Amino acid sequence: MSEWMTRSDKMVPVDFSFIEKLNMVQARLRTEMNFKPADFEELVKLDMDELDRTVFPAIVLAVSGACGDNGQKPEALATIVQFVFMANRVHELMKDDLDIAEELRQFPVLVGDLLYGKFFLELCREKLLPFLDPLAQVIGTMSEGGISRWLSRDSKLNKDEWLQIIEMESASLTALAARLSAELAGVSLPLQRRLEAFGWELGLAWGVWKERLEKTLVQSILQRANNILDEISSGSQLQLQPLLEVLHYIAKQLNTDYNPLEAGS
């Protein structure tokens, strides 16, 4: 087994080669989320750990870096994908308890819709509207996964059923983040598909870990992601370092027991 699959040392602060761009994306997100007269944290209680804040922008920026795209549009795309992820997470906060006031029940929907509006506005600002259709499709897929989860809330799901939900809720967006970044960089369609598969495996491993499924399953999925990079390295001139950094970072984070209050911190 590869060294990156077995290391169990303590997690360290994120140290990507594209850390400056990642910091710019997160600063951009903080600026966009500074609502008046209230900050985002005052509107909804959305617990975001390091993985939640980092994974999607990191995938976009790693792919763009590997493809040699050093422009500003990858940063905009990273922000857009993160808005989609956050909007979906906020919508999940809506409760159907009978003792909740109607305004409290609906408020997460309003905030989530605002985030979806911001993602659309960024598409317009950055002249990335061709990406609207695939993003809209993946939003529908993620919502379908959420519905499946809700419908099965009183059932004991088997591994395949869990994987189907995780694919819709998580892997679909990480895969699209990688593919759109590759498309933005102008690489060939076959290479876009390989990078999309890489993003898919990262999101699938992350989701499996969050659902506390078998650790061996997480490891096997990460190994598949590593194998994809091996295939890419033998058939292209990509700079693999940013992709390896993301893979190693996620592998290290997923080598711990999942705690929703501490994950990734």
Side-chain angles (χ1 to χ4, degrees), residues 1 19 21 39 44 57 143 152 165 187 189 196 202 211 216-217 244 252:
M1 188 174 293
I19 188 65
K21 285 181 174 290
D39 290 334
V44 292
S143 297
S152 61
I165 290 175
V187 300
L189 186 58
E196 180 180 31
L202 295 184
E211 296 300 336
T216 55
L217 181 57
L244 287 169
K252 180 183 289 187

Side-chain angles (χ1 to χ4, degrees), residues 31-40 43 111 114-115 118:
T31 299
E32 290 291 337
M33 302 308 298
N34 185 21
F35 302 120
K36 300 298 182 183
D39 290 334
F40 178 74
L43 297 176
V111 176
L114 176 61
L115 291 171
K118 282 186 171 290

Side-chain angles (χ1 to χ4, degrees), residues 12-201:
V12 297
V14 180
D15 187 18
F16 296 133
S17 57
F18 50 87
I19 188 65
E20 183 176 350
K21 285 181 174 290
L22 181 59
N23 287 338
M24 291 176 68
V25 169
Q26 293 181 336
R28 184 173 186 165
L29 285 161
R30 286 193 297 271
T31 299
E32 290 291 337
M33 302 308 298
N34 185 21
F35 302 120
K36 300 298 182 183
D39 290 334
F40 178 74
E41 291 78 8
E42 297 177 70
L43 297 176
V44 292
K45 182 174 176 54
L46 182 61
D47 293 324
M48 295 272 288
D49 59 48
E50 183 185 303
L51 288 169
D52 293 329
R53 294 189 300 268
T54 304
V55 169
F56 292 100
I59 288 174
V60 171
L61 296 175
V63 171
S64 66
C67 296
D69 185 353
N70 297 313
Q72 295 184 350
K73 286 192 183 295
E75 296 172 28
L77 179 60
T79 303
I80 288 165
V81 174
Q82 183 68 4
F83 275 144
V84 172
F85 168 68
M86 291 176 65
N88 185 72
R89 283 284 309 276
V90 169
H91 277 168
E92 291 175 351
L93 297 176
M94 190 179 71
K95 306 295 183 182
D96 58 359
D97 300 343
L98 295 178
D99 58 347
I100 297 179
E102 189 61 27
E103 60 270 19
L104 296 179
R105 188 195 316 276
Q106 295 298 328
F107 197 62
V109 177
L110 297 175
V111 176
D113 288 348
L114 176 61
L115 291 171
Y116 280 131
K118 282 186 171 290
F119 114 75
F120 181 71
L121 179 60
E122 283 295 298
L123 283 175
C124 297
R125 283 175 176 168
E126 301 295 335
K127 297 180 173 57
L128 293 173
L129 277 175
F131 290 167
L132 175 59
D133 181 61
L135 283 166
Q137 289 186 36
V138 85
I139 289 170
T141 298
M142 294 167 70
S143 297
E144 184 180 350
I147 292 170
S148 297
R149 177 185 293 273
W150 187 84
L151 290 175
S152 61
R153 64 195 184 281
D154 297 323
S155 305
K156 183 175 178 58
L157 302 181
N158 60 38
K159 183 181 71 174
D160 290 339
E161 291 169 331
W162 269 122
L163 285 175
Q164 187 175 22
I165 290 175
I166 293 166
E167 288 171 354
M168 290 187 288
E169 288 186 329
S170 180
S172 62
L173 187 57
T174 51
L176 185 65
R179 181 172 70 79
L180 292 184
S181 187
E183 182 178 342
L184 189 61
V187 300
S188 67
L189 186 58
L191 188 50
Q192 289 179 33
R193 289 173 175 163
R194 297 312 296 150
L195 290 167
E196 180 180 31
F198 175 70
W200 176 276
E201 301 294 2

